[in-house]
Amino acid sequence: MNSKLLLILVFILSFSSTSFAGAKKWITIGKDASSMSLQKFNSSMKELKSNSDISIIEIDEDDVNSLSHEMHEQFNRCGGFIFHDSLEAAEKELNNIGNKSFATKSIFADYAINQNDIVRPLVAAVTANNIKNTIEKLSTFNNRYYKSQTGVASQKFVKETWEGLVSGRSDAKVEYFQHRAWAQPSVILTITGSKSPKEVIVIGGHADSIAGYFGGSRARAPGADDNASGISTITEVIRVLVAGNYQPDKTIKFMGYAAEEVGLRGSKEIAQSFNASNANVIGVMQLDMTNFNGSDLDIVMMTDFTNANQNAFIGNIIDEYVSGVSWGYDKCGYACSDHASWTNAGFPASMPFEAKKRDMNRNIHTSRDTISQSRNTASHAAKFARMAVAFAVELDK
Ligand code: BES
Ligand code: ZN
């Protein structure tokens, strides 16, 4: 009798806690994606406003995971969205896109390619096996979810790894960028420029991972491709620049963003803070998924939410320095990664990607996103590391 009562009580309690609604928040999302997801989640999501391209949807904060999962699993596509803390912020984004006013604050970049002597030996030093080792280490964290303890621990690992690489350099430091609303910090490595330190080059990628629908703090999310590959590529870029004793004129920052998978939240705070302090970010490269060789093209430059001039510059860099590598263009979809945060903050950003969208790695956001999907090598990611090394040096002039 008593145990039956207890059972009923447990049942009621667990039921009420799962059905208890989280805080109301807002996202902006591509219009086609929004109509698909509204059909699926009509109980919890409400479209408030839209223009011809995007919609503002009111959403229960807890449903953000399932939204991202459903887009990939059900519709086999990305459904990028940007998370907003207030309806006002969402409305600003809607108007911004509506006017297509991506006016960049600062383009002082020189897109000529003329640093051959410096770039070539650095590019030659990129080693795929280093990238592979870092991907494997990052994948051993149960997940790198933005709210989980392992998501905090994995960022400590990134910070310490990067600190280890620059320990002999007085011009370099590694810091956390803390976020008020969740536990996982972003990590930023700064090599301060010796001649024009106010001009900043950013190479970043998201460090969090997610396992979608049943995700959250406990689910297994190795995120080997999405996006241990990007963080490990960046780690090799840092190693190569330091090993070659490269001392930049401008400031170079390497970033591992928190909380990308839940609406670009980490990078949004960082890019907005750079905007607020009138920073002069002359170029941003986003590395998100670099190790799944799914297409005839090796490197695919995403055209949306990116800067066309800088994209063409990176294409020229590949032709010049990354031999045997083909590249082209594709569209990613509304706000599919952190480059959108930088574009929205007014800075020129690019997103070179591992494949054409339709050939993307289908195992991302699941427990199957392991390096075995890439035949246990990081040879594809190494192409991105070579490109990124050349990008940093060629912008640094
Ligand atoms: N790495 C993906 C972006 C991606 C996936 C680009 C496949 C191109 C092809 C990123 O981490 C991601 O999952 N983005 C979400 C949106 C995000 C705001 C939750 C997406 O695109 O669905
Ligand atoms: Zn993802």
Side-chain angles (χ1 to χ4, degrees):
M1 186 64 168
N2 262 350
S3 63
K4 246 187 190 167
L5 247 167
L6 195 72
L7 213 73
I8 293 169
L9 203 71
V10 166
F11 180 76
I12 292 172
L13 272 175
S14 61
F15 180 74
S16 63
S17 74
T18 51
S19 62
F20 185 78
K24 281 270 166 259
K25 297 286 179 186
W26 298 267
I27 57 167
T28 46
I29 185 168
K31 200 116 183 242
D32 52 336
S34 101
S35 54
M36 285 195 257
S37 42
L38 278 172
Q39 281 167 22
K40 183 85 193 167
F41 294 96
N42 49 10
S43 56
S44 66
M45 291 170 56
K46 202 163 81 194
E47 183 172 68
L48 300 182
K49 272 184 189 177
S50 68
N51 61 25
S52 56
D53 299 323
I54 64 170
S55 305
I56 297 178
I57 291 184
E58 189 179 76
I59 186 170
D60 199 306
E61 187 167 1
D62 298 341
D63 285 336
V64 167
N65 285 1
S66 21
L67 174 65
S68 155
H69 176 80
E70 289 299 331
M71 291 310 299
H72 284 273
E73 208 78 344
Q74 298 267 125
F75 310 116
N76 233 341
R77 53 153 290 166
C78 275
F81 56 91
I82 301 178
F83 184 98
H84 305 279
D85 280 313
S86 68
L87 181 55
E88 291 71 30
E91 282 169 339
K92 228 172 125 186
E93 167 69 12
L94 188 79
N95 296 333
N96 180 21
I97 306 293
N99 298 331
K100 299 258 184 289
S101 60
F102 293 133
T104 48
K105 290 186 63 164
S106 48
I107 306 182
F108 295 124
D110 175 357
Y111 293 140
I113 292 183
N114 49 25
Q115 301 297 301
N116 248 275
D117 295 349
I118 304 169
V119 173
R120 290 218 176 271
L122 293 172
V123 163
V126 167
T127 306
N129 214 39
N130 292 334
I131 305 176
K132 177 188 167 226
N133 288 338
T134 314
I135 292 176
E136 283 173 347
K137 280 191 196 137
L138 283 167
S139 307
T140 62
F141 291 91
N142 184 44
N143 59 53
R144 302 186 300 280
Y145 189 59
Y146 79 124
K147 280 182 174 173
S148 75
Q149 271 319 302
T150 49
V152 174
S154 63
Q155 285 296 66
K156 184 163 178 278
F157 169 77
V158 171
K159 183 167 184 269
E160 288 172 358
T161 302
W162 289 2
E163 278 168 347
L165 290 173
V166 297
S167 62
R169 295 273 297 241
S170 57
D171 58 346
K173 61 178 183 216
V174 189
E175 294 161 307
Y176 282 138
F177 185 109
Q178 299 284 356
H179 303 281
R180 193 181 31 81
W182 63 88
Q184 183 180 56
S186 296
V187 176
I188 302 180
L189 185 160
T190 304
I191 308 179
T192 302
S194 57
K195 293 209 180 97
S196 317
K198 291 230 152 95
E199 290 183 51
V200 179
I201 298 158
V202 173
I203 299 179
H206 71 88
D208 63 322
S209 73
I210 198 169
Y213 197 63
F214 300 108
S217 292
R218 279 192 291 271
R220 176 75 181 125
D225 193 30
D226 188 10
N227 183 30
S229 67
I231 295 298
S232 306
T233 302
I234 293 167
T235 303
E236 180 62 0
V237 173
I238 299 164
R239 189 197 69 77
V240 161
L241 292 176
V242 173
N245 197 24
Y246 184 73
Q247 278 156 337
D249 290 349
K250 302 178 183 176
T251 294
I252 307 180
K253 285 180 182 274
F254 299 92
M255 305 196 179
Y257 308 112
E260 184 268 356
E261 298 285 11
V262 288
L264 320 180
R265 294 179 70 177
S267 59
K268 184 186 188 191
E269 287 191 11
I270 293 174
Q272 286 185 345
S273 84
F274 277 65
N275 183 353
S277 64
N278 285 317
N280 185 13
V281 179
I282 64 163
V284 178
M285 177 178 279
Q286 171 72 2
L287 295 174
D288 183 2
M289 297 169 66
T290 62
N291 200 35
F292 183 78
N293 193 352
S295 291
D296 49 340
L297 291 176
D298 290 306
I299 297 180
V300 175
M301 227 65 77
M302 294 305 186
T303 54
D304 45 343
F305 282 85
T306 59
N307 180 289
N309 293 335
Q310 186 178 273
N311 293 343
F313 169 61
I314 294 170
N316 291 338
I317 279 180
I318 296 169
D319 290 339
E320 181 75 22
Y321 294 116
V322 197
S323 63
V325 166
S326 58
W327 67 276
Y329 289 108
D330 199 3
K331 234 180 130 134
C332 198
Y334 177 73
C336 76
S337 191
D338 301 299
H339 58 286
S341 296
W342 289 101
T343 297
N344 279 343
F347 302 112
S350 296
M351 157 91 164
F353 187 69
E354 65 187 10
K356 285 182 197 147
K357 246 302 267 294
R358 64 158 191 269
D359 305 324
M360 65 180 259
N361 183 345
R362 300 266 174 234
N363 288 306
I364 65 168
H365 301 180
T366 73
S367 59
R368 301 180 303 278
D369 183 5
T370 61
I371 196 167
S372 62
Q373 308 289 346
S374 302
R375 299 176 340 275
N376 295 304
T377 82
S379 52
H380 199 53
K383 302 165 193 167
F384 288 76
R386 293 184 195 109
M387 167 193 69
V389 165
F391 171 78
V393 176
E394 284 287 359
L395 264 192
D396 181 35
K397 63 169 179 268

